[in-house]
Amino acid sequence: MLTRNCLSLLLWVLFDGGLLTPLHTQPQEILEAQPRENVVPVPERRSSAQRVKRGWVWNQFFVLEEYMGSEPQYVGKLHSDLDKGVGTVKYTLSGDGAGTVFTIDETTGDIHAIRSLDREEKPFYTLRAQAVDVDTKKPLEPESEFIIKVQDINDNEPKFLDGPYVASVPEMSPVGAYVLQVKATDADDPTYGNSARVVYSILQGQPYFSIDPKTGVIRTALPNMDREVKEQYQVLIQAKDMGGQLGGLAGTTTVNITLTDVNDNPPRFPKSIFHLKVPETSHVGSAIGRIRAVDPDSGKNAEIEYNIVPGDGGNLFDITTDEYTQEGVIKLKKPLDFETKKAYTFKVEASNLHLDHRFHSVGPFKDTATVKINVLDMDEPPVFSKPMYTMEVYEDTPVGTIIGAVTAQDLDAGSSSVRYFMDWKNDVDSYFTIDATEGTIATNELLDRESTAQYNFSIIASNPLLTSKVNVIINVLDVNEFPPEISVPYETSVCENAKPGQVIQTITAADKDLSPAGQRFSFKLSSEASNKPNFTVHDYRNNTAGIETRRNGYSRRQQELYFLPVVIEDSSYPVQSSTNTLTIRVCRCDSDGTIQSCNVEAIFLPVGLSTGALIAILLCIVILLVIVVLYVALRRQKKKDTLMTSKEDIRDNVIHYDDEGGGEEDTQAFDIGALRNPKVIEDNKIRRDIKPDTLRFTRHRPPAEDNTDIRDFINQRLKENDVDPSAPPYDSLATYAYEGNGSVAESLSSIDSLTTEADQDYDYLSDWGPRFKILADMFGEESYNPDKVT
């Protein structure tokens, strides 16, 4: 600390001497060391326009960091040559830290630091100084800027910001192999002294590794470091400032270095001979033992491949590598038999998969061991002569027929007799039986291939202790017992405009029997249909046939459906045949042969009605017609009975009179207004031949002149009613009561009468004969009073 204070005092003396004397060789010096001239107004002595030299300048001051003295640390002194020491000049300070970090004596210009400073927190402060006249408060000099720089001391040790470190290097690496580079940082000022000059060294880790003191690069220091001997290393690195000199500060870090594996060790069997014991009943493919070669390497460098060296007994076994344990797993390739061979010997070779050429000189990376396997005798079940039995039998074979046999042997020493049993699982097994001692299989029921074509069951062979099982498949052979038939129901149609020789349908056949290879079906027409000129069958000789037309054109009106009997025969023995009838419907087609309609009803009725609906409609129409006919017949019968009633009834006499015409009283059947009104003539066209309920006597009118228009109109209406389909079957002349000319009684109508009803005399009716007797009696008995008629 004393050295630091002396150095500060020396710097102050040097700067103080220079600052108090104006610089004559160079006008001004500022922070950037550029010349500068200012016009400074001096009252009563200098003109304001006179250019003068500045009387006080400085660049920067220095202050030590981390000052721990009891008094404020002296920084420096500001002084102007205008200050005569009489107290007329006042010094002010502004800028970074003015008043809080730095203070100035207004009279003497002394600057002090009032608190301890840290360069790592703030390396310098920029301040501004001003000399002011105490009386006028005016500046005597222009404001000038200066810097107070915090001078560094070695108060920060080097630090490894990235530590601790983890690194790796392959084993067996040569000396000087690169491992890792470490780096330490020092917060002190690297431009001032040696406070930030760091030197690296190893405190722990020799003699395996070394470090470059300047760069911090770590390298191997020993050759042939073996991972199998030691894999992990922990190295302690130190970084010291002040260039490693005494009194410098230091920091440390740890580097964990791992030796990575290389394939520098071959696999080795721990012993030369491996003994294994294997039961003779071991299954093929099962693991019967394990052997292992040791490789001290790790990862893929320790992967081992095992192989059986060709030789005696090796062909019965196989060996694979367990990828997790790197053991050799010996598996059985073929069945073992103690009675055939009791022991096997072979060699196994273990080798690395991934070799490193740098270590070929070490020797072959493989090893060999001998494996001896002893087969253990075990009680074995009977062994069938075949792994599976297949037999055949024709359907309908008689019950009890032997169709085959199975055989099994007991291979153990002192073998015993073998007995056979059916493995009953379902009712299907009851179709067959087996002889317990001979192993012969016979039918137990009649077989039907169409019901079950194949039987699959198991046979059990047993000695007194163990059993074995074998599958038996029995195929039921077909006997030709079913005739062939058309495979599917065809909907065949022919166009009305079809041409001769046109194929309208291709048919195929199916046989319920299991057709053997080469089974052929033949097609032909039946004998009764072969002579008809409508259709024929063309056999294509490939189990299909075509239905062809034999004439030009067909008519739905004449015949809508044709029934074509086709005979189909198979080629098995005995030959089976059947007659199948095809239904061919005649349809209406367009010119391209596209079917448009196949129903007869479609000619007259809308397409949307089905055949059933059309039949129902026709049936309803027939029923309605029958009802109408019955109704008309009953009406005629009733009318006939009415006409045959007693002549004493006045109404009956009037009805009899209607045969000659309605007369004057038939006002309901004759409306003279309709004859004279054309509108009524057109609207009222239906005749009203109805028997009048009451007798009305029309008043006599003067006879009218012969009116030809009325006669013509009546004749026209008669013709219309004659052709009217709704007209009743009786004569409509009664409606108009027109008798024509030439009647001896002349006209009975009052149209042409000149007298009135009151003046009418009916005595002449008795002169007309017996036909008018009743009428004369009716009008002759009492006089007619028109006021009584209603």
Side-chain angles (χ1 to χ4, degrees):
M1 184 61 69
L2 181 60
T3 304
R4 296 176 185 174
N5 293 336
C6 292
L7 181 60
S8 300
L9 181 59
L10 178 61
L11 292 173
W12 177 81
V13 171
L14 292 175
F15 278 96
D16 184 60
L19 290 173
L20 294 177
T21 305
L23 299 178
H24 300 286
T25 58
Q26 188 175 359
Q28 293 292 332
E29 290 183 2
I30 59 173
L31 291 178
E32 296 81 8
Q34 297 293 331
R36 179 179 178 185
E37 291 183 354
N38 296 289
V39 178
V40 181
V42 181
E44 299 179 356
R45 291 197 303 174
R46 297 172 184 171
S47 173
S48 61
Q50 184 181 0
R51 185 181 299 272
V52 297
K53 295 180 180 180
R54 182 172 176 174
W56 57 290
V57 294
W58 53 88
N59 284 330
Q60 61 184 5
F61 291 126
F62 291 89
V63 61
L64 291 176
E65 68 170 334
E66 304 294 343
Y67 174 74
M68 303 301 294
S70 60
E71 297 294 332
Q73 183 180 186
Y74 180 75
V75 178
K77 185 180 183 65
L78 301 180
H79 187 72
S80 174
D81 56 358
L82 298 178
D83 187 2
K84 303 304 181 180
V86 293
T88 59
V89 178
K90 177 183 178 182
Y91 297 96
T92 62
L93 191 67
S94 62
D96 291 343
T100 58
V101 179
F102 303 100
T103 61
I104 188 171
D105 190 317
E106 296 180 352
T107 303
T108 64
D110 293 332
I111 301 175
H112 291 82
I114 60 177
R115 67 179 181 85
S116 178
L117 303 179
D118 187 0
R119 189 201 67 84
E120 287 71 39
E121 179 181 348
K122 190 173 180 65
F124 63 90
Y125 295 85
T126 302
L127 296 99
R128 293 182 299 279
Q130 182 76 59
V132 181
D133 187 278
V134 174
D135 297 329
T136 62
K137 306 299 183 182
K138 294 183 178 180
L140 299 177
E141 297 285 348
E143 187 181 59
S144 182
E145 186 177 82
F146 67 98
I147 295 175
I148 297 178
K149 188 173 182 180
V150 181
Q151 187 174 356
D152 181 53
I153 64 173
N154 190 19
D155 60 342
N156 292 281
E157 73 278 3
K159 295 182 180 179
F160 293 93
L161 301 180
D162 297 330
Y165 296 87
V166 177
S168 63
V169 62
E171 64 173 336
M172 310 303 288
S173 296
V175 175
Y178 176 84
V179 179
L180 179 69
Q181 182 179 15
V182 297
K183 184 176 180 59
T185 60
D186 195 322
D188 293 326
D189 189 0
T191 63
Y192 179 75
N194 295 327
S195 298
R197 182 185 173 192
V198 179
V199 175
Y200 301 95
S201 61
I202 294 180
L203 300 181
Q204 177 185 332
Q206 290 107 350
Y208 305 104
F209 301 96
S210 63
I211 189 169
D212 189 300
K214 294 182 179 180
T215 62
V217 175
I218 302 174
R219 299 180 184 274
T220 58
L222 286 180
N224 301 326
M225 285 191 293
D226 193 355
R227 185 195 67 86
E228 287 72 37
V229 177
K230 186 176 181 179
E231 183 178 5
Q232 298 288 338
Y233 295 86
Q234 189 176 68
V235 180
L236 185 61
I237 304 297
Q238 182 190 66
K240 191 174 183 179
D241 59 9
M242 298 299 291
Q245 297 178 5
L246 185 63
L249 302 178
T252 60
T253 188
T254 301
V255 180
N256 296 311
I257 302 175
T258 302
L259 295 182
T260 58
D261 184 63
V262 296
N263 192 10
D264 58 337
N265 296 281
R268 291 289 183 263
F269 284 106
K271 55 184 180 180
S272 60
I273 299 177
F274 292 87
H275 293 274
L276 299 176
K277 294 181 179 180
V278 181
E280 65 173 339
T281 56
S282 299
H283 297 289
V284 174
S286 62
I288 60 175
R290 288 173 176 258
I291 62 174
R292 182 177 182 181
V294 178
D295 191 333
D297 295 325
S298 64
K300 68 177 184 179
N301 296 321
E303 294 180 0
I304 301 175
E305 181 182 21
Y306 296 91
N307 293 287
I308 294 178
V309 179
D312 182 31
N315 58 345
L316 269 72
F317 306 94
D318 192 10
I319 188 168
T320 59
T321 302
D322 188 329
E323 61 179 0
Y324 299 104
T325 64
Q326 295 301 313
E327 292 179 316
V329 181
I330 300 175
K331 296 182 178 180
L332 190 62
K333 290 175 59 178
K334 297 180 181 180
L336 299 177
D337 187 7
F338 176 81
E339 288 74 22
T340 303
K341 192 172 183 178
K342 299 178 176 59
Y344 298 88
T345 301
F346 54 89
K347 291 184 178 182
V348 176
E349 181 182 80
S351 60
N352 283 138
L353 291 176
H354 307 283
L355 301 179
D356 194 332
H357 66 278
R358 296 178 299 171
F359 304 101
H360 284 176
S361 59
V362 177
F365 279 73
K366 62 177 65 175
D367 195 14
T368 304
T370 301
V371 178
K372 289 188 177 181
I373 295 178
N374 294 321
V375 181
L376 302 179
D377 186 22
M378 305 293 292
D379 289 333
E380 299 176 86
V383 178
F384 284 95
S385 60
K386 294 181 181 180
M388 183 180 66
Y389 292 87
T390 301
M391 304 176 186
E392 294 180 346
V393 60
Y394 281 98
E395 62 179 336
D396 298 333
T397 299
V399 175
T401 303
I402 296 176
I403 59 177
V406 297
T407 57
Q409 293 181 351
D410 188 355
L411 301 180
D412 289 331
S415 60
S416 57
S417 60
V418 178
R419 298 186 65 82
Y420 304 94
F421 305 94
M422 295 283 292
D423 186 15
W424 297 97
K425 291 183 177 179
N426 48 51
D427 295 339
V428 177
D429 299 334
S430 63
Y431 282 87
F432 305 94
T433 60
I434 187 169
D435 187 276
T437 58
E438 299 297 331
T440 56
I441 299 175
T443 59
N444 195 37
E445 296 183 18
L446 287 177
L447 305 178
D448 183 10
R449 191 206 65 82
E450 287 70 35
S451 175
T452 305
Q454 187 181 78
Y455 294 88
N456 190 344
F457 55 90
S458 298
I459 299 296
I460 298 175
S462 68
N463 57 22
L465 298 177
L466 301 173
T467 62
S468 59
K469 187 183 297 185
V470 70
N471 287 334
V472 177
I473 296 176
I474 298 179
N475 295 317
V476 181
L477 302 180
D478 183 53
V479 174
N480 192 25
E481 56 183 341
F482 292 98
E485 298 176 348
I486 290 180
S487 57
V488 294
Y490 294 97
E491 294 183 0
T492 307
S493 58
V494 61
C495 294
E496 289 182 312
N497 55 358
K499 305 298 181 182
Q502 182 176 343
V503 178
I504 61 174
Q505 183 69 60
T506 300
I507 60 175
T508 59
D511 197 334
K512 294 182 181 180
D513 295 316
L514 179 62
S515 301
Q519 173 77 298
R520 295 291 300 275
F521 298 114
S522 61
F523 302 84
K524 63 181 180 179
L525 285 178
S526 63
S527 57
E528 64 272 12
S530 59
N531 297 326
K532 295 182 180 180
N534 297 319
F535 303 96
T536 185
V537 176
H538 183 197
D539 192 348
Y540 296 141
R541 307 292 183 180
N542 60 353
N543 291 345
T544 63
I547 307 300
E548 298 181 356
T549 58
R550 297 182 61 180
R551 71 180 192 181
N552 190 2
Y554 297 84
S555 175
R556 285 185 297 168
R557 296 177 181 273
Q558 296 179 359
Q559 185 171 349
E560 181 187 4
L561 298 176
Y562 291 89
F563 300 98
L564 185 67
V566 179
V567 178
I568 306 176
E569 294 182 352
D570 59 18
S571 59
S572 299
Y573 182 82
V575 176
Q576 299 286 347
S577 64
S578 66
T579 301
N580 301 262
T581 302
L582 285 177
T583 301
I584 303 175
R585 184 180 299 274
V586 181
C587 299
R588 180 169 59 89
C589 306
D590 57 13
S591 59
D592 297 331
T594 303
I595 296 176
Q596 295 181 343
S597 175
C598 291
N599 298 325
V600 176
E601 294 82 0
I603 302 176
F604 308 102
L605 297 176
V607 179
L609 295 178
S610 62
T611 303
L614 296 176
I615 293 175
I617 292 173
L618 292 176
L619 184 60
C620 292
I621 293 174
V622 171
I623 293 173
L624 290 176
L625 290 177
V626 170
I627 293 173
V628 170
V629 170
L630 292 176
Y631 176 76
V632 172
L634 291 174
R635 286 289 301 271
R636 287 186 175 182
Q637 183 66 30
K638 183 177 180 181
K639 188 171 186 66
K640 182 177 180 181
D641 293 342
T642 303
L643 294 175
M644 295 174 62
T645 55
S646 174
K647 293 184 180 180
E648 298 297 327
D649 191 342
I650 298 175
R651 290 172 297 176
D652 292 346
N653 294 336
V654 174
I655 291 174
H656 284 288
Y657 177 75
D658 285 346
D659 292 341
E660 294 294 332
E664 294 179 356
E665 291 81 5
D666 193 3
T667 58
Q668 296 295 328
F670 177 72
D671 187 1
I672 192 62
L675 300 179
R676 300 184 181 276
N677 190 343
K679 182 176 180 179
V680 178
I681 294 173
E682 296 297 330
D683 294 338
N684 191 12
K685 292 183 179 181
I686 300 176
R687 298 178 307 179
R688 294 175 295 173
D689 291 11
I690 302 175
K691 184 180 67 174
D693 294 334
T694 57
L695 292 176
R696 294 183 60 185
F697 301 99
T698 59
R699 183 175 299 175
H700 289 281
R701 292 188 177 95
E705 296 179 1
D706 188 11
N707 195 337
T708 57
D709 292 337
I710 295 176
R711 184 181 296 107
D712 294 338
F713 175 76
I714 292 174
N715 291 332
Q716 180 181 356
R717 294 301 297 271
L718 287 174
K719 292 179 181 179
E720 290 176 0
N721 283 273
D722 289 338
V723 298
D724 187 1
S726 61
Y730 45 86
D731 191 1
S732 61
L733 289 177
T735 303
Y736 304 103
Y738 182 75
E739 294 183 346
N741 297 325
S743 175
V744 294
E746 295 182 355
S747 177
L748 297 178
S749 174
S750 62
I751 295 177
D752 294 332
S753 300
L754 298 178
T755 61
T756 64
E757 293 181 1
D759 301 332
Q760 182 69 34
D761 185 7
Y762 296 100
D763 294 337
Y764 57 86
L765 293 176
S766 59
D767 299 334
W768 288 354
R771 297 182 61 183
F772 296 94
K773 183 179 182 304
I774 296 175
L775 187 60
D777 294 338
M778 292 174 57
F779 289 95
E781 293 179 358
E782 59 179 345
S783 61
Y784 175 70
N785 188 0
D787 296 333
K788 295 182 181 181
V789 179
T790 58

